[in-house]
Every structure is written in C-alpha cells, then in structure tokens.
Amino acid sequence: MTLSRHILEGQRRHPGAEGELSVLLTQLAFAAKLFAHELQRAALSGRLGLSGDTNVQGEATKKLDIFGNQTIIDAFAHTELVGGIVSEEEDEPREMACGDRASYLLCVDPLDGSSNSDVNGAVGTIFGIYKRSGGHAHARTGTLPGSGREQVAAGYVLYGPSTVFVYTTGDGVNGFTLDRDIGEFMLTYPAMQCPAEGRYYAINLTAAAEWAPAVRTYVRSLSGPGGRARGYTQRYSGALVADVHRTLLEGGTYFYPADRKHPDGKLRLLYECAPLAFVVEQAGGRATTGDMNILDVPIMDIHQRVPLAIGSRGEIDRFDQLTHVKETTR
Ligand code: AFP
C-alpha cells in the first residue's frame, strides 16, 4: 500500500471531498523525500552547521533549517493548495502567491530537533493543516484557527535510519516508510495505537528544580529506584518527533514543562504540540498542558508556546490526577 493510494482511499470515504487535501498531503510527502535526500548528503554538500542568522524566537538557525523551510515553501508555491504557511522559521505567516483561492492553512516545523543534525541524529518535520477560515487578519491565511481541534489533518516525518511519514485525517493514524529504491512511502505501521501504559519517559531533567511541584512529584515517581523497580526507564533524543514516535509505538510519555527560562513552556503550539496531540489522540493517547487538553488551548499567536505532556492515556491520566486539574475535554 503506497501513501498515495492510502490517501486516495481515505478521500473516497468522504464523498464531498474535492481531492485538494489529498494533493496537499502528497506534496508534503514529496517535500519530505527531497529533505530526506538532502539530509543524507548534508555533510558532503556543506549544509551542516549554522546559517549565521537567528529566527524570530532568537534561536540561531542552521543551514538545514533554512533548506527545510524553503523546500516546504517551494512545494506549495503556485499550487493554490495553501493560502499561507505558518512556520517556525518565518516571523509572520508566509502568504503564498495565488493563495487567494486556496482552502487550507499549513503550520509546519520544517526541521524539528535541529541540534541533532550536526551529529547525524534523528530529526523531524511536523505539520498541522486547517481549513482557511473567514476574515482577513492575513490576506491569504485568513484568521487564525480557534484551537488545535480544528485541524483537518496532521502528522510528522521522522528522518532516522529510515524516513517515516505518519499522518492522520481524523480517522486513525498510519505510518509509512520511504523505500528509497522506488521512491515511494509504503505502509509499514497500519492503524497505529499508542499503548495505554508504557515504560519509557522522555524529559530533559536539567531544569527539574524549576518545575511546578506536581511535575517534580510525577517525574520523581518515574525516575527514582521505585520507578526503576516498576520498569520505567528514560530516553531523550533532543528531537520531539523521535521521542513522540517512540512513545506512540511503545507507550510512555514525553514532557516539556514550564521552567524559569521557558515560563510558558518551550514548545510551540501551532506547529509542534497541536499536530502531535492530534496524532497521539487519534492513536488512543492524550496530550495536556497540565491544566488543559492541548487541542483545546486557544490559539492567540502563531509562535505561542505551551507546556506539554504527551503519550499513553494511563500515564497522562495519572499525571493529571497528580496535578489535581480537571480538563475541559478529554
Ligand atoms: P528545534 O526544533 O528548535 O530544533 O527544537 C527542538 C525541540 O523543540 C524539541 O524537538 C526537543 O525535544 C526540544 O526542543 C529539546 O530542547 P532541550 O534541548 O531544551 O531539551
């Protein structure tokens, strides 16, 4: 089963569909193939290292950040598929030429985990897709969506030993591995289900002293000798996509809580947390800020940050019980 056929069969289950979302997803897969090819060659073609610029969030950008961003933009130029692109690498939504007639808004982190790129570690691309809504806050992007619940599709690409494309359109989650010999993504992870419990937890412990007490208590319950006795073990790759992919397949949790340096959390809602929350929820897991479901967080700004705990339902439920907070929606 190729990705293209899978997308087409999904489209046929929606009789009113005009096929634009299908082409959009196929273009994302095309961009992923280009990016995978470039990542493989980056050390040889001189594309490793810093670009010399900083992005809107004050982070030093890598040459590959810029390549990844441009690859996505080029994949949608003149397609009339997306009115605009919200990207980690763009200060403002990038309005697309000929985007006036487009039906969709694309939110993307082209290169997640860029610090891994110089050491040949796993990196990713994350995407969330919304129907363009009325209003003209931005001519081609429309007004911002209300929350991540409005996503019509989302997914990620993991560039590791192999390249894996995982997506949902709200009808379950499926994963595809790139067969480089034939240039096609093939279905290798059908109907992905996040186990209800898991023994892996992924977290950067260096800011532990600055977390809210409930977060500290929960992580201590996983990380001390008691946690080890119950089979918990830590994995942290430095790339959200890689850690969430493991969590999806094997269960467990990924956390990035608020700390002094990141009072609202570090990760971005529109192109990191909300897309992954949609995927994980569709696979039976959950994602929370600690006091509300990530998919219900009102979107106020394109580069908005939120604290994130994401993964197995049982683990996230336990985390919520500890934080004594009730979610509005589960
Ligand atoms: P970039 O997308 O800017 O490379 O950031 C990576 C990331 O957002 C996420 O993928 C990692 O899990 C997290 O940051 C790592 O951050 P720390 O280095 O603070 O643990």
Side-chain angles (χ1 to χ4, degrees):
M1 170 74 88
T2 63
L3 174 62
S4 315
R5 190 179 134 201
H6 193 270
I7 292 170
L8 192 61
E9 291 189 3
Q11 179 193 321
R12 290 201 178 115
R13 285 195 293 276
H14 296 89
E18 290 173 1
E20 296 212 345
L21 183 59
S22 301
V23 186
L24 199 168
L25 288 166
T26 308
Q27 279 304 95
L28 278 170
F30 171 61
K33 287 182 206 172
L34 292 177
F35 201 20
H37 177 74
E38 192 57 36
L39 283 166
Q40 203 189 1
R41 294 193 42 77
L44 302 169
S45 61
R47 265 202 222 275
L48 293 184
L50 296 170
S51 69
D53 289 333
T54 49
N55 64 16
V56 65
Q57 355 227 353
E59 299 159 343
T61 54
K62 300 259 165 110
K63 291 179 204 166
L64 283 169
D65 281 313
I66 292 171
F67 179 86
N69 193 47
Q70 197 58 48
T71 302
I72 302 270
I73 289 167
D74 290 347
F76 289 98
H78 306 290
T79 60
E80 298 182 18
L81 290 169
V82 299
I85 298 178
V86 170
S87 164
E88 180 182 3
E89 303 308 328
E90 304 276 340
D91 302 6
E92 293 291 330
R94 168 73 75 116
E95 305 208 333
M96 303 302 285
C98 308
D100 289 333
R101 288 183 294 276
S103 303
Y104 295 99
L105 167 69
L106 173 65
C107 300
V108 66
D109 181 355
L111 180 63
D112 166 64
S114 54
S115 71
N116 283 359
S117 60
D118 290 342
V119 298
N120 201 25
V123 293
T125 297
I126 308 172
F127 58 90
I129 302 165
Y130 297 82
K131 270 271 193 200
R132 261 175 78 203
S133 57
H136 294 282
H138 300 284
R140 296 199 172 93
T141 46
T143 49
L144 285 179
S147 75
R149 286 253 169 246
E150 293 175 25
Q151 289 172 106
V152 293
Y156 61 82
V157 189
L158 171 60
Y159 310 94
S162 60
T163 300
V164 177
F165 186 102
V166 173
Y167 85 106
T168 182
T169 53
D171 193 14
V173 181
N174 290 277
F176 301 78
T177 302
L178 180 61
D179 183 331
R180 288 182 196 274
D181 292 337
I182 58 172
E184 289 280 3
F185 280 104
M186 306 300 297
L187 181 63
T188 45
Y189 303 95
M192 295 169 83
Q193 279 295 315
C194 181
E197 309 278 338
R199 62 194 189 91
Y200 292 113
Y201 65 96
I203 190 162
N204 181 340
L205 293 168
T206 52
E210 298 164 11
W211 297 337
V215 179
R216 278 211 300 275
T217 308
Y218 183 69
V219 173
R220 212 176 304 126
S221 77
L222 304 176
S223 57
R228 188 163 272 264
R230 281 182 286 129
Y232 285 112
T233 190
Q234 194 209 8
R235 295 280 186 278
Y236 191 70
S237 73
L240 173 64
V241 165
D243 289 321
V244 167
H245 187 63
R246 182 193 305 105
T247 305
L248 203 51
L249 292 177
E250 304 195 328
T253 36
Y254 171 98
F255 297 91
Y256 210 113
D259 58 43
R260 202 162 358 146
K261 195 166 152 205
H262 311 102
D264 299 318
K266 176 187 178 190
L267 303 177
R268 275 57 55 106
L269 178 60
L270 263 173
Y271 44 79
E272 292 182 311
C273 302
L276 295 177
F278 188 22
V279 169
V280 166
E281 219 173 76
Q282 279 293 312
R286 288 188 52 223
T288 176
T289 62
D291 55 21
M292 84 189 295
N293 188 309
I294 287 285
L295 292 175
D296 294 322
V297 176
I299 296 171
M300 313 297 287
D301 182 83
I302 61 167
H303 297 297
Q304 180 176 345
R305 296 174 193 262
V306 280
L308 175 71
I310 185 167
S312 293
R313 182 163 280 273
E315 307 291 345
I316 303 291
D317 282 351
R318 242 191 322 276
F319 175 72
D320 274 340
Q321 278 159 19
L322 253 187
T323 53
H324 300 296
V325 174
K326 295 214 179 330
E327 289 196 38
T328 49
T329 316
R330 289 210 167 171

mmCIF file of all heavy atoms in Angstrom, residues 59 88 109 111-115 204 236 238-240 254 256 266-268 272, ligand 1:
data_model
loop_
_atom_site.group_PDB
_atom_site.id
_atom_site.type_symbol
_atom_site.label_atom_id
_atom_site.label_comp_id
_atom_site.label_asym_id
_atom_site.label_seq_id
_atom_site.Cartn_x
_atom_site.Cartn_y
_atom_site.Cartn_z
ATOM 1 N N GLU A 59 16.516 32.118 18.115
ATOM 2 C CA GLU A 59 17.348 30.915 18.053
ATOM 3 C C GLU A 59 18.252 30.986 16.824
ATOM 4 O O GLU A 59 17.820 31.411 15.751
ATOM 5 C CB GLU A 59 16.466 29.660 17.951
ATOM 6 C CG GLU A 59 15.546 29.476 19.132
ATOM 7 C CD GLU A 59 14.347 28.572 18.839
ATOM 8 O OE1 GLU A 59 14.045 28.340 17.657
ATOM 9 O OE2 GLU A 59 13.716 28.120 19.808
ATOM 10 N N GLU A 88 8.007 27.707 11.846
ATOM 11 C CA GLU A 88 8.923 28.110 12.922
ATOM 12 C C GLU A 88 9.954 29.104 12.397
ATOM 13 O O GLU A 88 10.442 29.954 13.141
ATOM 14 C CB GLU A 88 9.646 26.880 13.483
ATOM 15 C CG GLU A 88 10.602 27.255 14.608
ATOM 16 C CD GLU A 88 11.390 26.102 15.191
ATOM 17 O OE1 GLU A 88 11.264 24.972 14.698
ATOM 18 O OE2 GLU A 88 12.149 26.350 16.139
ATOM 19 N N ASP A 109 6.794 22.866 11.371
ATOM 20 C CA ASP A 109 8.169 22.984 11.867
ATOM 21 C C ASP A 109 8.995 22.154 10.888
ATOM 22 O O ASP A 109 8.982 20.920 10.950
ATOM 23 C CB ASP A 109 8.289 22.422 13.291
ATOM 24 C CG ASP A 109 9.716 22.557 13.821
ATOM 25 O OD1 ASP A 109 10.601 22.999 13.054
ATOM 26 O OD2 ASP A 109 9.951 22.213 14.995
ATOM 27 N N LEU A 111 12.234 21.627 10.431
ATOM 28 C CA LEU A 111 13.328 20.802 10.966
ATOM 29 C C LEU A 111 13.255 20.814 12.490
ATOM 30 O O LEU A 111 13.787 21.711 13.149
ATOM 31 C CB LEU A 111 14.684 21.331 10.499
ATOM 32 C CG LEU A 111 15.907 20.554 10.997
ATOM 33 C CD1 LEU A 111 15.908 19.116 10.472
ATOM 34 C CD2 LEU A 111 17.210 21.241 10.587
ATOM 35 N N ASP A 112 12.582 19.820 13.023
ATOM 36 C CA ASP A 112 12.488 19.685 14.483
ATOM 37 C C ASP A 112 13.723 18.940 14.987
ATOM 38 O O ASP A 112 14.130 17.950 14.387
ATOM 39 C CB ASP A 112 11.223 18.879 14.822
ATOM 40 C CG ASP A 112 11.230 18.415 16.265
ATOM 41 O OD1 ASP A 112 11.201 19.274 17.156
ATOM 42 O OD2 ASP A 112 11.313 17.194 16.491
ATOM 43 N N GLY A 113 14.292 19.454 16.080
ATOM 44 C CA GLY A 113 15.475 18.787 16.665
ATOM 45 C C GLY A 113 16.745 19.134 15.923
ATOM 46 O O GLY A 113 17.636 18.291 15.771
ATOM 47 N N SER A 114 16.843 20.401 15.473
ATOM 48 C CA SER A 114 17.959 20.745 14.574
ATOM 49 C C SER A 114 19.330 20.550 15.226
ATOM 50 O O SER A 114 20.320 20.351 14.525
ATOM 51 C CB SER A 114 17.800 22.166 14.036
ATOM 52 O OG SER A 114 17.640 23.066 15.096
ATOM 53 N N SER A 115 19.390 20.559 16.578
ATOM 54 C CA SER A 115 20.712 20.356 17.200
ATOM 55 C C SER A 115 21.239 18.953 16.908
ATOM 56 O O SER A 115 22.431 18.700 16.987
ATOM 57 C CB SER A 115 20.643 20.598 18.718
ATOM 58 O OG SER A 115 19.938 19.550 19.342
ATOM 59 N N ASN A 204 13.957 16.404 29.583
ATOM 60 C CA ASN A 204 15.263 16.997 29.885
ATOM 61 C C ASN A 204 15.248 17.369 31.365
ATOM 62 O O ASN A 204 14.501 18.254 31.783
ATOM 63 C CB ASN A 204 15.450 18.240 29.001
ATOM 64 C CG ASN A 204 16.788 18.896 29.227
ATOM 65 O OD1 ASN A 204 17.429 18.693 30.262
ATOM 66 N ND2 ASN A 204 17.212 19.695 28.263
ATOM 67 N N TYR A 236 15.830 10.217 25.905
ATOM 68 C CA TYR A 236 15.608 11.594 25.466
ATOM 69 C C TYR A 236 16.540 11.862 24.292
ATOM 70 O O TYR A 236 17.757 11.801 24.441
ATOM 71 C CB TYR A 236 15.888 12.578 26.614
ATOM 72 C CG TYR A 236 15.427 13.989 26.322
ATOM 73 C CD1 TYR A 236 14.084 14.298 26.269
ATOM 74 C CD2 TYR A 236 16.355 15.013 26.106
ATOM 75 C CE1 TYR A 236 13.645 15.582 26.000
ATOM 76 C CE2 TYR A 236 15.929 16.312 25.849
ATOM 77 C CZ TYR A 236 14.575 16.587 25.799
ATOM 78 O OH TYR A 236 14.144 17.872 25.540
ATOM 79 N N GLY A 238 16.405 14.671 22.083
ATOM 80 C CA GLY A 238 16.639 16.056 21.638
ATOM 81 C C GLY A 238 15.804 16.400 20.413
ATOM 82 O O GLY A 238 15.877 17.517 19.909
ATOM 83 N N ALA A 239 15.006 15.452 19.936
ATOM 84 C CA ALA A 239 14.070 15.721 18.827
ATOM 85 C C ALA A 239 12.702 15.209 19.259
ATOM 86 O O ALA A 239 12.499 14.010 19.457
ATOM 87 C CB ALA A 239 14.516 15.034 17.547
ATOM 88 N N LEU A 240 11.786 16.146 19.387
ATOM 89 C CA LEU A 240 10.423 15.829 19.829
ATOM 90 C C LEU A 240 9.805 14.719 18.972
ATOM 91 O O LEU A 240 9.166 13.796 19.483
ATOM 92 C CB LEU A 240 9.614 17.131 19.734
ATOM 93 C CG LEU A 240 8.129 17.116 19.968
ATOM 94 C CD1 LEU A 240 7.815 16.707 21.396
ATOM 95 C CD2 LEU A 240 7.548 18.509 19.686
ATOM 96 N N TYR A 254 6.269 11.884 26.928
ATOM 97 C CA TYR A 254 7.261 12.928 26.646
ATOM 98 C C TYR A 254 6.774 14.169 27.382
ATOM 99 O O TYR A 254 5.584 14.506 27.325
ATOM 100 C CB TYR A 254 7.332 13.219 25.138
ATOM 101 C CG TYR A 254 8.178 14.439 24.827
ATOM 102 C CD1 TYR A 254 9.506 14.316 24.423
ATOM 103 C CD2 TYR A 254 7.660 15.734 24.966
ATOM 104 C CE1 TYR A 254 10.287 15.430 24.164
ATOM 105 C CE2 TYR A 254 8.434 16.855 24.720
ATOM 106 C CZ TYR A 254 9.746 16.700 24.319
ATOM 107 O OH TYR A 254 10.518 17.809 24.081
ATOM 108 N N TYR A 256 7.637 18.431 28.266
ATOM 109 C CA TYR A 256 8.451 19.653 28.302
ATOM 110 C C TYR A 256 7.688 20.667 29.144
ATOM 111 O O TYR A 256 6.878 21.443 28.631
ATOM 112 C CB TYR A 256 8.787 20.206 26.914
ATOM 113 C CG TYR A 256 10.135 20.925 26.983
ATOM 114 C CD1 TYR A 256 11.233 20.426 26.320
ATOM 115 C CD2 TYR A 256 10.307 22.050 27.768
ATOM 116 C CE1 TYR A 256 12.474 21.023 26.434
ATOM 117 C CE2 TYR A 256 11.540 22.666 27.888
ATOM 118 C CZ TYR A 256 12.620 22.139 27.218
ATOM 119 O OH TYR A 256 13.845 22.746 27.356
ATOM 120 N N LYS A 266 8.524 25.463 26.362
ATOM 121 C CA LYS A 266 9.412 25.810 25.239
ATOM 122 C C LYS A 266 8.781 25.540 23.873
ATOM 123 O O LYS A 266 9.027 26.242 22.908
ATOM 124 C CB LYS A 266 10.692 24.984 25.345
ATOM 125 C CG LYS A 266 11.627 25.197 24.169
ATOM 126 C CD LYS A 266 12.831 24.274 24.171
ATOM 127 C CE LYS A 266 13.653 24.549 22.923
ATOM 128 N NZ LYS A 266 14.706 23.577 22.702
ATOM 129 N N LEU A 267 7.928 24.534 23.838
ATOM 130 C CA LEU A 267 7.457 24.049 22.537
ATOM 131 C C LEU A 267 6.305 24.901 22.017
ATOM 132 O O LEU A 267 5.526 25.452 22.786
ATOM 133 C CB LEU A 267 7.042 22.589 22.655
ATOM 134 C CG LEU A 267 8.154 21.668 23.180
ATOM 135 C CD1 LEU A 267 7.657 20.253 23.342
ATOM 136 C CD2 LEU A 267 9.363 21.701 22.248
ATOM 137 N N ARG A 268 6.208 24.988 20.694
ATOM 138 C CA ARG A 268 5.236 25.853 20.060
ATOM 139 C C ARG A 268 3.935 25.093 19.774
ATOM 140 O O ARG A 268 3.949 23.950 19.345
ATOM 141 C CB ARG A 268 5.805 26.442 18.755
ATOM 142 C CG ARG A 268 6.630 27.698 18.935
ATOM 143 C CD ARG A 268 7.799 27.585 19.866
ATOM 144 N NE ARG A 268 8.720 26.514 19.527
ATOM 145 C CZ ARG A 268 9.912 26.658 18.981
ATOM 146 N NH1 ARG A 268 10.374 27.859 18.752
ATOM 147 N NH2 ARG A 268 10.687 25.621 18.729
ATOM 148 N N GLU A 272 4.109 22.403 16.651
ATOM 149 C CA GLU A 272 4.745 21.280 17.355
ATOM 150 C C GLU A 272 3.683 20.509 18.155
ATOM 151 O O GLU A 272 3.394 19.348 17.881
ATOM 152 C CB GLU A 272 5.881 21.762 18.273
ATOM 153 C CG GLU A 272 7.074 22.306 17.492
ATOM 154 C CD GLU A 272 8.241 22.750 18.364
ATOM 155 O OE1 GLU A 272 8.040 23.493 19.338
ATOM 156 O OE2 GLU A 272 9.377 22.376 18.043
HETATM 157 P P1 AFP B 1 14.239 22.862 17.436
HETATM 158 O O1 AFP B 1 13.052 22.453 16.613
HETATM 159 O O2 AFP B 1 14.397 24.332 17.511
HETATM 160 O O3 AFP B 1 15.478 22.171 16.983
HETATM 161 O O4 AFP B 1 13.976 22.423 18.973
HETATM 162 C C1 AFP B 1 13.904 21.097 19.323
HETATM 163 C C2 AFP B 1 12.882 20.946 20.401
HETATM 164 O O5 AFP B 1 11.833 21.830 20.187
HETATM 165 C C3 AFP B 1 12.338 19.526 20.510
HETATM 166 O O6 AFP B 1 12.423 18.796 19.329
HETATM 167 C C4 AFP B 1 13.156 18.882 21.594
HETATM 168 O O7 AFP B 1 12.503 17.852 22.273
HETATM 169 C C5 AFP B 1 13.469 20.042 22.488
HETATM 170 O O8 AFP B 1 13.430 21.221 21.668
HETATM 171 C C6 AFP B 1 14.815 19.921 23.086
HETATM 172 O O9 AFP B 1 15.023 21.000 23.913
HETATM 173 P P2 AFP B 1 16.098 20.953 25.097
HETATM 174 O O10 AFP B 1 17.442 20.970 24.425
HETATM 175 O O11 AFP B 1 15.817 22.179 25.890
HETATM 176 O O12 AFP B 1 15.878 19.685 25.877
#
